[in-house]
Amino acid sequence: MRMRLLLLSISILSGSLISNSQNVMQLKDCISKGLENNFSILIARNNESISKNNFTAGNAGYLPKLDLTGRYGGTVNNTTQNLTDGSSNSTSGVHNTAATANASLGWTIFDGFSVRTTYKKLNELKQLGELNTQLSVENLVAEIIAGYYNYIQQVQTLNNLDYALTLSRERLRIDKDRYVLGSSSKLQVLQSQVYLNADSSRLSRQGEVVRAAQVKLNELMALEELSSKFESADSIIQVDEYLLYEKLLDATLAGNTSLMIATKNKTVSEYDYKIITSRSYPYLTMSSGYTYALSTYETGSYKNQTINGLTYGLTFGVNVFDGFNQRRSIANSNIEIQNKELKYLEIEQGIKADLLTIYNVYNNNLRLIKLEEQNLATATENLDIALERYKLGSLSGLDLREVQKSLLDAKERLLAIQYQTKLAEISLKLISGTIMEYYR
């Protein structure tokens, strides 16, 4: 009866060995902290801000430029003049000064649609910055989810090993009782003690694995205290069993971030091509300015002189010949557009291949989960029978150990295949652009 109670209670013991932690973390909490603190996300958002700051009419060239300059200076001269009648004049320390102030205005009226194209390109670069941030966010969320469920897997493994240790203690108790009654040998007691010690050692090592998984998750969340302890709100690995390949493929082609980035890169190259071809058009610029100048003299007919006035002008020009450099630039730009198209096709093909491969793994793992669940049920019943037979003395210690190991292996295989299926599910959602569903 005691054995049955132990077997039935194992499903509710998950997390019992770390129940001393008061901080319970849900998956959404981990994702939220990671998006708030993770350094790679902060860097990506800063880069996004730079691309947003660059998207201005002034940066594209729509707005005029106004420069203000001012200068004050002077000269101190010594002068000697020899006249034709043989006389001479000499002056020394003549100090003349000059002060100027200028305001100049320049504006490109037309330059072959380059300004308008540049503005559109800056908009694309802004959106590209947003997509790069989105890609970083999606990758981080996928890592956090994988780390969260890895932690659950390791905790479950820890509890399974604790349960195996409980079985070894029960076996040692039985052997000691039988030894006292004279129905067992000292050798059997010692062998049971060896098994108990081996299970204790394995449990201790698994505790280190659990702690490492916890620290890794803290690192992904960029917590200041990497040693912070917490308990996961979930105790089992739940797998979405209803993912369909056709829907995933449609979602991938419509919402995969890498594909959207490749599309933006191609669009930017097309705008670069238009900017280069705009050099073939004439250009028209306007300039205007205002100048104020004050000069003072210590010698001569004038004591000082003031000049102020307005300047203006229009400049019209066209590039007639530049040594075929524009032709070369256009050819290279065309090749660059072709490369971006090929890159898009390459990324699309790779993503489709990954989606198909991972979905096959996911689908096969769903079948393996059902198989391992049946194996676990069989191994559990087998251990129950074996332990009763061992109590009656009709089963050897080695056979009982083998049955016990079969149960532990069945549990570990089930945990492993559940986690691998969860990883496949995470990858499918990441590829299809639906990874943020975990955060809703």
Side-chain angles (χ1 to χ4, degrees):
M1 185 63 182
R2 180 183 177 187
M3 186 62 196
R4 283 196 177 93
L5 289 175
L6 287 171
L7 290 173
L8 291 175
S9 63
I10 185 62
S11 62
I12 63 174
L13 285 177
S14 296
S16 61
L17 295 182
I18 57 168
S19 59
N20 58 329
S21 174
Q22 300 299 318
N23 186 19
V24 179
M25 296 285 289
Q26 295 183 348
L27 177 58
K28 290 183 179 179
D29 297 329
C30 296
I31 295 175
S32 179
K33 287 183 178 294
L35 295 180
E36 180 181 355
N37 301 323
N38 187 272
F39 298 113
S40 63
I41 297 301
L42 296 178
I43 293 173
R45 286 174 177 159
N46 285 338
N47 291 332
E48 179 185 348
S49 296
I50 292 174
S51 62
K52 286 182 178 179
N53 293 337
N54 288 335
F55 178 50
T56 63
N59 193 27
Y62 271 118
L63 302 181
K65 296 181 180 180
L66 177 64
D67 293 326
L68 297 177
T69 60
R71 183 180 184 279
Y72 176 81
T75 61
V76 179
N77 295 321
N78 298 324
T79 304
T80 299
Q81 296 177 329
N82 296 313
L83 304 180
T84 56
D85 60 0
S87 62
S88 64
N89 294 323
S90 297
T91 58
S92 62
V94 177
H95 187 194
N96 298 328
T97 64
T100 60
N102 297 285
S104 58
L105 177 68
W107 187 23
T108 301
I109 299 175
F110 179 76
D111 66 345
F113 309 105
S114 176
V115 172
R116 185 174 64 181
T117 305
T118 300
Y119 190 71
K120 292 180 179 179
K121 175 185 174 181
L122 291 174
N123 185 35
E124 293 295 325
L125 291 175
K126 178 181 75 69
Q127 296 177 34
L128 189 57
E130 295 170 354
L131 288 174
N132 284 327
T133 300
Q134 179 178 318
L135 182 62
S136 297
V137 167
E138 290 176 349
N139 288 333
L140 176 65
V141 169
E143 287 187 65
I144 290 177
I145 297 171
Y148 180 82
Y149 283 104
N150 177 57
Y151 174 71
I152 293 175
Q153 178 196 22
Q154 300 307 329
V155 169
Q156 287 185 326
T157 301
L158 182 69
N159 288 306
N160 289 341
L161 292 174
D162 182 62
Y163 174 66
L165 186 62
T166 302
L167 293 178
S168 296
R169 288 196 185 100
E170 176 66 10
R171 172 180 174 174
L172 180 60
R173 184 193 65 78
I174 294 172
D175 287 342
K176 285 183 177 179
D177 291 345
R178 292 170 60 183
Y179 176 71
V180 171
L181 295 175
S183 59
S184 179
S185 65
K186 181 70 172 179
L187 179 62
Q188 190 66 43
V189 174
L190 294 176
Q191 186 61 51
S192 296
Q193 184 65 56
V194 170
Y195 290 149
L196 177 63
N197 293 341
D199 291 340
S200 298
S201 177
R202 189 175 180 186
L203 179 66
S204 178
R205 290 195 298 270
Q206 182 60 26
E208 297 176 1
V209 177
V210 169
R211 189 67 182 127
Q214 198 173 55
V215 171
K216 178 61 178 178
L217 193 54
N218 286 339
E219 180 187 2
L220 290 173
M221 293 186 289
L223 299 183
E224 291 185 6
E225 292 293 335
L226 292 176
S227 60
S228 298
K229 294 183 179 181
F230 61 85
E231 181 180 348
S232 61
D234 301 296
S235 59
I236 59 174
I237 300 176
Q238 293 182 332
V239 178
D240 186 352
E241 302 178 0
Y242 303 103
L243 298 180
L244 299 177
Y245 176 76
E246 291 75 14
K247 290 185 177 180
L248 289 170
L249 179 59
D250 291 341
T252 298
L253 296 178
N256 181 272
T257 306
S258 295
L259 283 178
M260 289 191 287
I261 289 175
T263 301
K264 290 295 179 186
N265 284 329
K266 177 186 172 184
T267 303
V268 170
S269 294
E270 291 172 348
Y271 282 137
D272 286 334
Y273 172 82
K274 292 180 179 179
I275 292 173
I276 293 173
T277 56
S278 68
R279 300 175 190 169
S280 300
Y281 290 87
Y283 60 88
L284 178 64
T285 62
M286 182 199 75
S287 63
S288 179
Y290 178 81
T291 301
Y292 174 84
L294 172 63
S295 302
T296 63
Y297 310 99
E298 287 193 349
T299 62
S301 303
Y302 304 102
K303 181 178 180 181
N304 58 62
Q305 177 179 263
T306 301
I307 299 175
N308 62 84
L310 179 69
T311 61
Y312 61 90
L314 291 174
T315 301
F316 176 84
V318 61
N319 179 24
V320 178
F321 180 73
D322 66 348
F324 304 111
N325 286 322
Q326 184 176 356
R327 181 187 299 180
R328 173 181 53 81
S329 298
I330 291 175
N332 290 340
S333 184
N334 264 322
I335 295 173
E336 188 64 29
I337 292 175
Q338 294 175 17
N339 285 340
K340 290 298 191 296
E341 291 175 348
L342 293 173
K343 188 64 178 180
Y344 177 89
L345 294 175
E346 180 185 22
I347 293 174
E348 183 184 46
Q349 186 181 55
I351 287 174
K352 287 181 178 179
D354 290 342
L355 183 69
L356 181 59
T357 301
I358 296 173
Y359 187 81
N360 288 335
V361 172
Y362 162 82
N363 215 20
N364 185 57
N365 284 353
L366 290 179
R367 293 191 292 267
L368 291 178
I369 287 177
K370 292 180 171 56
L371 178 62
E372 292 300 338
E373 287 174 343
Q374 295 174 0
N375 289 339
L376 178 59
T378 302
T380 301
E381 183 180 0
N382 193 26
L383 179 62
D384 196 5
I385 296 172
L387 190 58
E388 292 298 328
R389 290 183 58 194
Y390 186 75
K391 290 179 181 179
L392 297 175
S394 60
L395 187 70
S396 67
L398 288 176
D399 289 337
L400 178 62
R401 182 67 176 181
E402 188 63 29
V403 173
Q404 179 183 344
K405 184 177 182 300
S406 296
L407 176 61
L408 185 61
D409 290 344
K411 291 178 180 177
E412 290 185 351
R413 286 198 307 272
L414 178 58
L415 281 175
I417 196 64
Q418 285 176 336
Y419 180 63
Q420 291 301 320
T421 308
K422 191 66 180 180
L423 289 181
E425 173 196 319
I426 294 169
S427 298
L428 290 174
K429 288 184 177 292
L430 178 62
I431 292 174
S432 62
T434 58
I435 191 70
M436 298 308 292
E437 290 179 354
Y438 291 102
Y439 191 45
R440 294 173 184 172

